[in-house]
Amino acid sequence: MPNPSPRQTEEFKKHCYQPKGAVYSDYPLADKPTQVRLAEDITAAVDALGNDKTPWLRRVITEAVRKELLSQAQGTVSANEVPSPPPASPPLDADTLVKVLNEVLAVPRLPAAAKKKLETLLETLSQSQGHLPLG
């Protein structure tokens, strides 16, 4: 039978759940953790860090957020400020896009509404590039 009135002293609580690695004195840790699933190979590489995993993740995420999401000059993001977009992808040529759209349209049991929109997009793209639909 569990203890109906457990007592946790402040001394006991000090030793529970000690944060790993450096904790910034100016920035106390949040009450809730931030979690994300990663690809298996990435997870394996991070897990290989062993006891250094948590401090490394905390440092890397903090640096990335400060660099990419927070304005270093202002120190914080204002309520109306939009974070910078991700880096630009290489341009996609029209022929590749037409090929990919045709492959998607060939998927069995594609919902009718999606198929119709993709066909419209393919037709518009083909006309603007002077191509005939490949499908």
Side-chain angles (χ1 to χ4, degrees), residues 10-33:
E10 291 303 316
E11 182 71 24
F12 173 78
K13 290 179 185 179
K14 283 182 191 176
H15 297 289
C16 294
Y17 306 111
Q18 291 295 316
K20 294 181 181 178
V23 177
Y24 309 105
S25 60
D26 297 343
Y27 306 100
L29 295 178
D31 290 335
K32 68 175 192 148

Side-chain angles (χ1 to χ4, degrees), residues 4 15 20-21 44 46 51 54 58-59 62 64 67 86 88 92 96 98 101 120 133:
H15 297 289
K20 294 181 181 178
V46 172
N51 289 337
T54 300
R58 188 176 288 132
R59 179 183 59 81
T62 300
K67 178 181 175 189
L92 185 65
T96 302
V98 167
L101 284 172
T120 303

Side-chain angles (χ1 to χ4, degrees), residues 1-6:
M1 178 171 181
N3 186 349
S5 54

